[in-house]
Structure formats: structure tokens, C-alpha cells
Amino acid sequence: MLKEITITVNGQQHTLEVEPRLLLVHMIREVLNLTGTHIGCDTSSCGACTILLDGKSIKSCTVLAVQANGKSITTIEGVAQDNQLSPLQEGFKENHGLHCGFCTPGMILRATELLAQNPNPTEDEIRWGIAGNLCRCTGYNNIVKAIQYAGAKIRGEELPSTEPEFV
Amino acid sequence: MGHSLKRKEDARFIQGKGRYVDDVKLPGMLYMDIVRSPYAYAKIKNINIDEAMKVPGVVAVVTGRDLEKYNLHWMPTLMSDTQMVLPTDTVMYQAQEVAAVIATSKYAARDGREAVRVEYEPMKPVIDPYKSLDPDAPVLRTDKEGKKDNHIWNWKVGDKQKTDDVFAKAEVVVKEQMHIPRIHVASIETCGCVADYDKVNNHLTMYMTTQAPHAIRTVIALVAGHVGLTEEKIRVISPDIGGGFGGKVPVYPGYVIAIAVSFLVGKPVKWIEDRSENLQADSFARDYHITAEMAGTKDGKILATRFKVLADHGYTDASANPSKFPTGMFSIATGSYDYDATYMECDAVYTNKPPGGVAYRCSFRVTEAVHAIERITDRFALEIGKDPAELRLQNFIKKEDFPWKSPTGWIYDSGDYHKGLLKAMDTVDYHQLRAEQAEKRKRGELMGIGLSTFTEVVGAGPSKDFDILGIKMFDSAEIRVHPTGKAIARFGTKSQGQGHETTYAQIIAEELGIPAENIQIEEGDTDTAPYGLGTYASRSTPTAGAAAAVASRKLRDKARKIAAYLLEVSEDDLEWEPGKFFVKGAPEKSKTIQEIVFASYTNHPPGMEAGFEATHYYDPPNLTFPSGAYICVVDIDKETGAIHVRRFVAIDDCGNIINPMIVQGQVHGGLTQGIAPAMYEELIYDEAGNILNGTFMDYLVPTAVESPKWETGHTVTPSPHHPIGAKGVGESPTVGAPPAIANAIVDALSPYGITHLDIPITPFKVWKALKEKGAI
Amino acid sequence: MIPQSFQYESPGSLAEAISMLQQYGEDAKILSGGHSLIPMMKLRFATPEYLIDINNIPGLSYIREENGVLKIGGLTREAELEHSDLLKQHFPIFADVTKLIADPQVRNMGTIGGNLAHGDAANDHPAVMMALHATVVATGPEGEREIPIDEFFYGFYMTALQHGDILTEIRIPMPPPGTGSAYHKMERKVGDYATAGVAVQITIGDNGVVTAAGIGLTNVNPVPLRAARSEQALIGKPLTEETINEAALYASEDCNPSSDLRGSEEYKRSIVATLVKRMIHQAVNRANNS
Ligand SMILES: Cc1cc2nc3c(=O)[nH]c(=O)nc-3n(C[C@H](O)[C@H](O)[C@H](O)COP(=O)(O)OP(=O)(O)OC[C@H]3O[C@@H](n4cnc5c(N)ncnc54)[C@H](O)[C@@H]3O)c2cc1C
Ligand code: FES
Ligand code: FES
């Protein structure tokens, strides 16, 4: 039996008829064709599917589309405003925070909430804060750096150097 | 060169505009899901598809019997072994493909899969590779005529007699048995494809997660040529790849089934595997059981090594090695040390486990080799009571001795091992750490310092030695410069995150003086890119990168001719500086590369071909030999066994560096993939062949919390034979990190008589070892 | 991984939810945070025919103190527990435990009610609730009833909740002065279920004598376990290394772990002993500093 739901996605309202079992991630990817949200696992472990649901970062593979009825979601496609990259998008690009890019949308959305709650996190808080997002490529050093950079940008402070540091 | 240019490819990835295989959606596309075997070894008695066919949306269920009609039920592996696409009567490992359900949606396909009923008659599997050689072990590959045992091949290298003699006379001999565990590349994107067969034009477009699109096109033609799919009718497109690491080199049955189904129904078919399918069925890496021995003198001179390997290949030899190298480059196991006696032997066996043996971020078995030599070197140091750093400095091949011929025949092109290790020691203040350790030991606290000073061998490879399925392992670049001076360059390799779009552009920019931002790089479409063997084994910079440099130089030669013509001087009177030719002694008389290119289309010298394009297939004269010196410091909680990596310093030498930021990023990533098998990851099977940790809940990929803050640096010893002196770096850290970590942990535990622990070294393993030694 | 089809209901009141649960009986499941249930449905280990989503019932999410009792609504998310100032002040154990449950995204969805109702000895809250001597409030067709935490967990994935019951509230006595609490678990990597976990709450009287102790153990028993002998070893005596060692020993003896990928039975017992000691020390430190 199909259910009618109304969801605001990246500022745009959609009314859809969906199967109750439709996972939110599939609604985003398959129904709305927003393919920036990825799927990396089947046990809610990897965070590649992370989006914001009413501002909270969640794993969209473990939420039903019907649960998002009446709510508003942000996917990676909705992060840049008026063609202006968000501080995190800029941070990832400037600090080589991505290689293959598959984990990146989830990382950025997770970090968006992290910085919203705590714009000046310690390195430890950042690492624990992205513990639900696996990246197989970067070794995380530069993801941490990217988030620190974005934090500085949000705080309006001088931006840290984006040059690689070598011993 | 040497400039940390920000990556050109990032703009799309950070805005969700990457295009991965699962993002491909074609009109009328069908979805495929796969029924898999719950048993490691069983006869298939019956496959009942009736209920599945009743599921709304299901259009077909395909079994081995269906494929058999078209002779598509078997395929070759890259090692010229054979592998079932779908079984007709027997399953050989758990999670093996048994049937494919095709439906109009992903959801219907999964419902259909649940409704397929398969009746099995389980048989007793062979899981332990040692037992697979028992005389009474059941012969698994009954499909191979005349096969009487589970032995695949035997390989040996070195001088047995000489080595045995040295061992017999040596003052000190040490020996350890080690297992390099079966692991998985676990790229965050799993594997998948969209097979799109166009009946009218008899043409297949295959979008797939592959690191080697051209080689795959050839393999498809070999498998399906007899049904009319010949190579010119096949286009393989490898779009953005969400991490490959060697796991996206093989041809998996799912790809072939998708092609077969698309061919039969004439519609596009998408197959995307789940993570658990990926972990449980796709190619594993490593799984070498190694007996390592070292002989030397009491004062620390290494005299000889001996390695005996048992390689568990699972159901078929589906590793991805160059044809002549069934153990890959394992023979690099003599390491960075100067001695001349070694003997190595390897036996490969079949078991009822998934096939594989891929070069996971590793130039074909170098990880196994480096682990063996670096661990046994530490074991030797421990035996004679010498500091492992001192012992290494004593035995290193000296800088002036390069090129150096190893006892197994490799010609190490260049290196400065002393410099690298001294830099690493300096960075961590090695002697201070040892003093701290001595203090802690008095108090019974566990602190360890581990080293790994490895030599890598990458860039396969010289075509006289290296081929895959007979295709020589060159790689290619094609550069086209447009009249306005902007360029597009295409390559036979395929980035999976390595940043080719940036690095290749930088190489061409360096050689031709066209700004990197004006050079578009394309890979992964076999219709447009020149033939190449793909990206794995750190070969892209050594081969395709070199091809880019050589092709650029061809263009520069042409540019010189055009400039001479335009400036009305002789070619010899011209001098090059990046971006322009000028007349010697009269620098105001010059032509920029853009002017020259424009002239090549509008005003080229009579008799010269118009245009500004060059292609080069680069066949390297030798491999390159990157090296590294890594130091790891750990603190261990005695009561729980918990291991804290306090510091990890990696000094790499990959020759000249094109983009330091990208090189460093590769090192960071590889280090995390090094700590993974050292402390967390292993595919574990029980005696019945059931995988015990086939999901991300239990297959423990490190997060940002487990991954330490890496400290990296480099020394630069250019490759003498590579056009730009680069050596390739992608896998050094994956190769070098595990022994540094293992050595550090064993160093911490050594006061209690512990001389070796197999990776992954978990808190539980540490605790158990301490308990057994009565330390707690 | 895709769940089997089901019918979805989203009642707007407790009464409506309870009547739906009664109507659909055994075929219905409550959906709270969904982060135990949906993973199981995706694997088709759980195949409910009806899903009753309680997320749209107002008034089930709160953390407040009333007459010496801490009250937490069943639908309160882990993230809310993690960041609550009230909890930080009186129950530092919540900051300990939430940080170790899964990851931030899961904690944005997962609820304390679901964590307990799931009845999984691998979950972390059961041990904490034991240490804190909590009471669970179940609301069913007959109204509310209080279930002491010691009577809540029955068997493997089984609790005292009956069909038609909704776990609506958790009640925890506010701790007297001189109380401290702590939780830690050994895990293979962050976000993992516990190899073994220990929750401790301890109250020290003015004279240095332990007046109350609660110790709960995670994932070392088929059902969540109270280390009762350990508590008794502490209560009524001054805290010494000796009593602490005794408590540790009893806990390691009284649990019943099984050998698995996380370690052998012996290892887990040893971890229990070590963590009991460490958590007592940490709880006492906090008591002294409060
Ligand atoms: C990747 C991952 C890692 C995790 N790691 C941990 C961990 O380390 N430690 C840990 O403790 N947990 C862990 N969890 C589980 C997580 O905390 C769950 O959120 C929690 O166990 C269940 O809470 P929920 O609100 O999500 O419940 P749901 O999944 O909605 O429900 C769970 C069960 O309880 C029933 N139920 C739910 N609410 C009620 C209610 N109010 N009344 C009656 N019955 C109810 C449901 O019908 C269902 O049977 C992990 C989960 C994931 C996905
Ligand atoms: S796909 Fe959602 S957590 Fe992995
Ligand atoms: S960049 Fe590849 S997984 Fe993170």
C-alpha cells in the first residue's frame, strides 16, 4: 500500500507516493535522482549515505522515507548556496580532504552538523565526531584539516595554511 | 613539478556531481540481484524459481544451466585459470553466485532473490590450506581433467645450495612462522555495472567499476566473442570509481551475468553488489603462510634468508599477477640489505574459499614479502641483542652501490636507505625513545618502537618480463593540443582517487609549458582512450606518467621545428624555457607554445604534418624501486592488551615528486590501510567455510579514531631511468606500515619472551600472549 | 539490503498507538529510532507486517527531574542524553555511555526506550540502568506500570514488555551527595558493540563508608547482568583496594560470557575485572570532585 508523503528536499517541496519500506536513501537516489548521496554498506556502518534531516545528520540507509514525512532534508546537492561553496566544501577542496570522493558527501554533511554544534572542535572531537563515516582513501589526516579549516572560516578567523606539512 | 596544485577533479565530488556506476540510469533498465550459496562446498540438487517468477516485477531468473546453453557459464581468470560464472552442479565457496534474478526494480529483484529455493547437498569442504595438500584431501577441481590434488603451482627462486650452506655454517639462525592474513580492499564503493546491449547495432556498452577498462574489453571479447561480441563491438566505460585498490581489477561473475542477460533480453541491466556480497565474494588479498628464516653473524651481519610460502588461493587462481610471476614480486623479499644468498619457494593451493589474491594497493605480493623480511630482520636483532635500527644501518645496501643486483635478479635502480632511516630516527628522537623505553621497562610498563625500512618494486613493467594474458604491461598517453593552445590528454590508466586529472596535467604542463588548468585529462572510456593496462600496483606514474612526459617531448620536438620556421632560424639556435622557444642570445625573439600550436594548424612548415598531437606507449626499461623508513611507537595497556599508537613517522623516497600534496595524501591513505591489517582486519572463516565477519559490523575498517595522526616526510632519490625521475608512491605505505606496527608491538612485549605475533595484532591477542608467558 | 513489505502506521497519540498494537497483535512492531529494528528488517531477520511509528506521538521525549526522580521519556534520543546539562551535572555516566554507543548519526536517531526494549545484552544502556537502579514505565491498554530494571530483561531479546506495551519513561532516583558514576567498555573499534562493558554508580557516606553501589555488565551474559555480589562486597564498608579487588573478582566470576570474535571467555572475564576496578575508581573520583 503506497503512502503519500511531503518532504522538503534542499528547499524544494516534493509530494510523493512511496512504498512504506522505501529507504530514504533510495528515495533520494532513485526517486529524486540526487545521486550525490551514496551507499557504502548494508549495516549502517559507513556513513556514505549521511544527510541532514531537520538539521541533524543521519544515515539515510537506516531511515524510511515515510519517517521523513513533513520534514526537511539537505543532501550534498543542497549544501552550496547560490553557487557559493560552503566552508566545508571549500575546506575539503583546499586541504585535499578527498581522493575518490565516494565518502565525501557524507563526510561533509556529518561535519556540517558537527560544526553547527561546535564551531571550534578539538582534533579529538573531530575524529570522534566523524567516527560514523568510513573513508578508505585519505587516512583522515586531511579530512580533519579540512574541518578545522572550515571551522576557522565559520568563526571568521584567519584561515590555516593549506600547504602539506612534512617532517 | 613539486607544486601542490589543488585537485582539478574535486569540484564535482564536493558538490555531489561525481558520476559513479550506481548513478548510471538508462531507460528501460532492469535490475539484477544474485542468489548466493550458504555452503562452502555443496552439490546443487535443484533450483526452484517458481515462487520467484511470481513476484511482481521479476522478469527472469538465470541459472548456470541457462548460461551453459550459450557456453557462457565459465570464464578465464587473469591467471589463465578458470572460474564458474554460474554453477551448473557444484558450489565451491560460501557466497558463490548461484542464480541471478532480473526485475524491473531493485526492490523486486531482492524480493525475487528471497523467493528462489535452492536445494543443496553439502559436502565436507577443504578450508585449511595445509590440509588441502593432505593425500586424502578431496580433490576440489574435478572440472579440470586429470587433476589429482589441490596443488596449483610451485615457484622457486634463488640459490638453494648456496643458501643452505650459509645457513648450515651461520653463527645465528632465526626462524618464524607467519601468516599474512586474508583481507579485503573494502573500497567504500562496492563493485557493479550497467551492461547495455543494443541488439540492433550488436553493440555492448559496459559501464563498470574497473581499474583496467581496456584489459576488461579484451577479456569480454575473449569470453563472448563466440556469440558475436567481438572487441570492436564493445565499449567499456569506467566512470568515477569510489576506490579500487586492486579489488576492481578482476572480472567478477556478476559482470558477466549482467552482460549475458542484457545480451539475451536486449535491455540495460544494472548490478550493484551489497557490502556483504563484496566482502564475502569478491577477490581477497594476501593470505600467505610464510616460514621466514634469516642467517647471520653474532655481530649483526645478515648473510642469508630463506622463505617458504603456502599461498591459499581459494577456489581458483584469480589473482592479478603478471603472467610470468605467479607469486608477483615476492622475490623482493631480500629487502634493503646487502647479502647474496637467498632461496624462496612457494606452493599455491585450492581451498573452498572465495578466489582472489589481488594486488591490494601492492605491487603484486610485495606486502607479503616486505612483512616477511622486516619481521625476520627484527627477530634477528632481538636474537643477538642488537638495536634494530643499528642492525639495519649496518646491513643496508649503500647509496654508491646502486644500481644493485639483488640475489633474486632485480636491478634496484637507486636508493639512499641510510639517509631515510636517519631522518626518521631524527624525527622521533630515536635514542630518547629508547631511553624512555628502558625506564618504562623497569616499571613493568609496555612501550614499543618498531621500524620498517623497505624496498618496493613498482611500475610494471618492462614488456620483456611483464604481461597479463599476453598483453604487455606498457601504458599510454595521447595528447591533443587544440589550435587555441588548450589540450586534452587521454590515458590507458584509470584513477580511482589518485588524482590523475591533476598530476598528469602537471606533467604535461611541466614539459610543454601549457598551464595545468588548460589541460583536460580523460581516462576510462575505451572508445576514446589509447590502450593501456590500467591503474594498480603503483604503475600509473611510472608508466602512463612517463608516457605523458615522452609524448609531450615528441610535441616539443615538433614545436622546435615550427618555432625555427616561424623565427627563421635553425633549430639549434633555439632554446627552450617552459612555455616558449627563444633564439639563443636574443631572448626577445621568441614564440610561445600557444603561438606555435596555433601555427601548427594555420601556418605549419611545408612538408610537415599539420596539427599538434602525439601518442606514446611507454615501455619502461626497468621497474622503479621506491623505498621508505617508517617508525612506529606504541604504548600497551598490560591489563587489557589495548594498543595505542602514539606516533607513526613515515619517510618515503619515491624519487621526484610531481605534486607533494597528492603524494602526501596517498601516503596518509596507505598508512591507514596499513594499520588496518596490522591491527584490525582479517577475513575469518570457520572450519565449515562460513565467513564469520562478512559485514562492516565485524570487518573492522579503521575510523578516524583508530587512525593515528600520521607524520610524513620524504627523501628524494630520483629514478635514473624514468623520464621525470619519479618512482610511484601509492602503495609504499600499505606495504611498509604493517611490519613497523607489528615490530613495535612485539618490541613492547619482547621482555616477556614474545618473539612474534601474527597480524592483525588485537588487544585480545596481546593479552593472550602475555597470559601464556605468565606476564599477567 | 531491502526490508520486506509492511504496512506503516503513524499514530498521533499514545492511546491510538496502543489500540493499533492491540489490533495487530504479534505481527506489529513499534518503530522508535529504528536503528536496531531497521537494520534487522533490511537483513530480513525481522519481517513485521505492521510498523507502528511512535515518533509522531508528542510528549515522549524529555529529560527532567521531579521530586528526587530523574525522568527520561522513552523517545529521548541518544544525542539528547549526550548533550543534556542536567545529566552532565548529576550523571556523568550518560556522557560516558553515549559517546561509546555507535556514532553521532546513529545517536541522532536511536532512543533510550528502543535501546532497552530491544532487550539485547550487547546494548549499553541496560548495564547503565542497572547501575542506576532505574525503573521502566510501560504504558499499555491497562495504563501505566512500573517495572524495576531487575525484572525487565528476561532472555535473549526478551523483556517484560507485553504486546501492546509501550516503554514510555525511565525513572532513576536522583543520587545523594557523595555519588559518582562511570561507564566504559572495551570495543574493537569505535562504535562497536562491547567486548565487555561495566557501569558503576557508587555513593560514599561522610565517614568514607560505601552506602550504595550499582554495578551493571554489558555483553558478558545472555541477558544484561547486575553484578550483585560485587555490589555487596562494597556496601557498608570503607572503600579499599581489597574491597575493590573483591568486587572485580566477583563480577568476573558471576558473568557468563561466550568466546567469539571479540575474545575468549577468559579474556572477557579479565576485562570485566579490570573495568570494574577502573570504573569504581573513576566513579569515586567523580564523587569526590562533585
Ligand atoms: C551501526 C550501529 C551501531 C550500534 N552500536 C551500538 C552500541 O555500541 N551500543 C548500543 O547500545 N547500541 C548500539 N546500536 C543500537 C542503537 O543504539 C539502537 O538505536 C538501539 O539499540 C535501539 O533503539 P531505537 O530507538 O533505534 O529502537 P528501534 O530500532 O526502533 O527498536 C528496537 C526494538 O525495540 C522495540 N521498541 C522500540 N521502542 C519501543 C518502545 N518505546 N516501547 C516498546 N518497544 C519498543 C522495537 O519494536 C524493536 O523491537 C547500534 C546501532 C547501529 C545501527
Ligand atoms: S550506506 Fe548508510 S551507513 Fe553505510
Ligand atoms: S575519499 Fe575515497 S572513501 Fe573517502
Side-chain angles (χ1 to χ4, degrees), chain B residues 355-375:
Chain B
V358 292
Y360 169 15
R361 208 165 180 164
C362 159
S363 189
F364 317 113
R365 305 297 189 181
V366 175
T367 314
E368 290 88 329
V370 165
H371 202 82
I373 181 69
E374 288 304 302
R375 269 269 59 237

Short mmCIF file of all heavy atoms in Angstrom, two decimals, chain B residues 355-375:
data_model
loop_
_atom_site.label_atom_id
_atom_site.label_comp_id
_atom_site.label_asym_id
_atom_site.label_seq_id
_atom_site.Cartn_x
_atom_site.Cartn_y
_atom_site.Cartn_z
N PRO B 355 37.80 -17.03 -4.41
CA PRO B 355 39.07 -16.87 -5.13
C PRO B 355 39.58 -15.45 -5.01
O PRO B 355 38.86 -14.53 -4.63
CB PRO B 355 38.69 -17.19 -6.56
CG PRO B 355 37.24 -16.84 -6.67
CD PRO B 355 36.65 -17.07 -5.30
N GLY B 356 40.83 -15.28 -5.36
CA GLY B 356 41.38 -13.94 -5.35
C GLY B 356 42.89 -13.97 -5.30
O GLY B 356 43.53 -14.82 -5.90
N GLY B 357 43.41 -13.06 -4.51
CA GLY B 357 44.86 -12.88 -4.47
C GLY B 357 45.20 -11.62 -5.22
O GLY B 357 46.20 -11.55 -5.92
N VAL B 358 44.32 -10.59 -5.08
CA VAL B 358 44.56 -9.35 -5.84
C VAL B 358 45.68 -8.55 -5.19
O VAL B 358 46.00 -8.70 -4.03
CB VAL B 358 43.30 -8.47 -5.94
CG1 VAL B 358 42.27 -9.15 -6.81
CG2 VAL B 358 42.74 -8.12 -4.58
N ALA B 359 46.25 -7.68 -6.01
CA ALA B 359 47.34 -6.83 -5.56
C ALA B 359 46.72 -5.63 -4.85
O ALA B 359 46.59 -4.56 -5.43
CB ALA B 359 48.19 -6.39 -6.74
N TYR B 360 46.29 -5.83 -3.61
CA TYR B 360 45.64 -4.77 -2.83
C TYR B 360 46.66 -3.71 -2.50
O TYR B 360 47.47 -3.88 -1.63
CB TYR B 360 45.03 -5.38 -1.57
CG TYR B 360 44.55 -4.42 -0.52
CD1 TYR B 360 44.36 -3.06 -0.79
CD2 TYR B 360 44.24 -4.87 0.75
CE1 TYR B 360 43.90 -2.19 0.19
CE2 TYR B 360 43.79 -4.01 1.74
CZ TYR B 360 43.64 -2.67 1.44
OH TYR B 360 43.18 -1.82 2.42
N ARG B 361 46.57 -2.62 -3.20
CA ARG B 361 47.46 -1.49 -3.01
C ARG B 361 48.89 -1.99 -2.82
O ARG B 361 49.57 -1.65 -1.87
CB ARG B 361 47.01 -0.68 -1.80
CG ARG B 361 47.43 0.77 -1.95
CD ARG B 361 46.74 1.69 -1.02
NE ARG B 361 47.24 3.03 -1.29
CZ ARG B 361 46.66 4.12 -0.88
NH1 ARG B 361 45.56 4.08 -0.19
NH2 ARG B 361 47.17 5.30 -1.15
N CYS B 362 49.29 -2.82 -3.75
CA CYS B 362 50.55 -3.54 -3.56
C CYS B 362 50.98 -4.05 -4.91
O CYS B 362 50.18 -4.56 -5.67
CB CYS B 362 50.29 -4.69 -2.60
SG CYS B 362 51.49 -6.00 -2.69
N SER B 363 52.25 -3.89 -5.19
CA SER B 363 52.76 -4.32 -6.48
C SER B 363 52.92 -5.83 -6.49
O SER B 363 54.03 -6.34 -6.50
CB SER B 363 54.09 -3.62 -6.74
OG SER B 363 54.50 -3.86 -8.05
N PHE B 364 51.81 -6.54 -6.42
CA PHE B 364 51.83 -8.00 -6.56
C PHE B 364 52.69 -8.68 -5.49
O PHE B 364 53.82 -9.06 -5.75
CB PHE B 364 52.33 -8.40 -7.95
CG PHE B 364 51.76 -7.59 -9.07
CD1 PHE B 364 52.55 -6.73 -9.81
CD2 PHE B 364 50.41 -7.67 -9.37
CE1 PHE B 364 52.02 -5.99 -10.85
CE2 PHE B 364 49.87 -6.92 -10.41
CZ PHE B 364 50.68 -6.07 -11.15
N ARG B 365 52.13 -8.87 -4.31
CA ARG B 365 52.76 -9.67 -3.25
C ARG B 365 53.97 -9.03 -2.60
O ARG B 365 54.73 -9.70 -1.90
CB ARG B 365 53.16 -11.06 -3.79
CG ARG B 365 52.03 -11.84 -4.44
CD ARG B 365 50.93 -12.15 -3.46
NE ARG B 365 49.94 -13.08 -4.01
CZ ARG B 365 48.87 -13.48 -3.33
NH1 ARG B 365 48.63 -13.03 -2.11
NH2 ARG B 365 48.01 -14.31 -3.87
N VAL B 366 54.17 -7.73 -2.85
CA VAL B 366 55.29 -7.05 -2.19
C VAL B 366 55.00 -6.88 -0.69
O VAL B 366 55.90 -6.95 0.15
CB VAL B 366 55.56 -5.68 -2.85
CG1 VAL B 366 56.64 -4.92 -2.10
CG2 VAL B 366 55.97 -5.88 -4.29
N THR B 367 53.72 -6.69 -0.37
CA THR B 367 53.36 -6.53 1.05
C THR B 367 53.77 -7.76 1.85
O THR B 367 54.30 -7.66 2.95
CB THR B 367 51.84 -6.34 1.16
OG1 THR B 367 51.44 -5.39 0.18
CG2 THR B 367 51.45 -5.82 2.52
N GLU B 368 53.47 -8.92 1.28
CA GLU B 368 53.82 -10.17 1.96
C GLU B 368 55.34 -10.26 2.12
O GLU B 368 55.85 -10.63 3.19
CB GLU B 368 53.31 -11.36 1.13
CG GLU B 368 51.79 -11.51 1.09
CD GLU B 368 51.11 -10.71 -0.04
OE1 GLU B 368 51.62 -9.64 -0.44
OE2 GLU B 368 50.06 -11.17 -0.52
N ALA B 369 56.04 -9.93 1.04
CA ALA B 369 57.50 -10.03 1.04
C ALA B 369 58.10 -9.09 2.09
O ALA B 369 58.97 -9.48 2.87
CB ALA B 369 58.04 -9.68 -0.35
N VAL B 370 57.62 -7.87 2.08
CA VAL B 370 58.19 -6.87 3.00
C VAL B 370 57.88 -7.24 4.45
O VAL B 370 58.72 -7.10 5.34
CB VAL B 370 57.67 -5.46 2.64
CG1 VAL B 370 57.93 -4.47 3.78
CG2 VAL B 370 58.33 -4.99 1.35
N HIS B 371 56.69 -7.76 4.66
CA HIS B 371 56.38 -8.17 6.03
C HIS B 371 57.35 -9.25 6.49
O HIS B 371 57.87 -9.20 7.61
CB HIS B 371 54.93 -8.66 6.14
CG HIS B 371 54.42 -8.59 7.54
ND1 HIS B 371 53.93 -7.42 8.09
CD2 HIS B 371 54.34 -9.51 8.54
CE1 HIS B 371 53.57 -7.64 9.35
NE2 HIS B 371 53.82 -8.90 9.64
N ALA B 372 57.58 -10.21 5.62
CA ALA B 372 58.46 -11.33 5.99
C ALA B 372 59.87 -10.83 6.30
O ALA B 372 60.44 -11.17 7.34
CB ALA B 372 58.48 -12.36 4.87
N ILE B 373 60.44 -10.02 5.43
CA ILE B 373 61.83 -9.62 5.64
C ILE B 373 61.94 -8.65 6.82
O ILE B 373 62.87 -8.74 7.63
CB ILE B 373 62.46 -9.02 4.34
CG1 ILE B 373 63.93 -8.63 4.58
CG2 ILE B 373 61.71 -7.83 3.81
CD1 ILE B 373 64.85 -9.76 4.78
N GLU B 374 61.00 -7.74 6.94
CA GLU B 374 61.12 -6.76 8.02
C GLU B 374 60.86 -7.38 9.39
O GLU B 374 61.46 -6.99 10.39
CB GLU B 374 60.20 -5.57 7.77
CG GLU B 374 60.70 -4.69 6.62
CD GLU B 374 62.12 -4.19 6.86
OE1 GLU B 374 62.35 -3.54 7.90
OE2 GLU B 374 63.01 -4.48 6.04
N ARG B 375 60.00 -8.35 9.43
CA ARG B 375 59.77 -9.04 10.71
C ARG B 375 60.97 -9.92 11.08
O ARG B 375 61.44 -9.95 12.21
CB ARG B 375 58.52 -9.93 10.62
CG ARG B 375 57.21 -9.32 11.01
CD ARG B 375 56.78 -9.46 12.45
NE ARG B 375 57.68 -8.90 13.42
CZ ARG B 375 58.22 -9.58 14.42
NH1 ARG B 375 57.95 -10.86 14.59
NH2 ARG B 375 59.01 -8.99 15.29
#
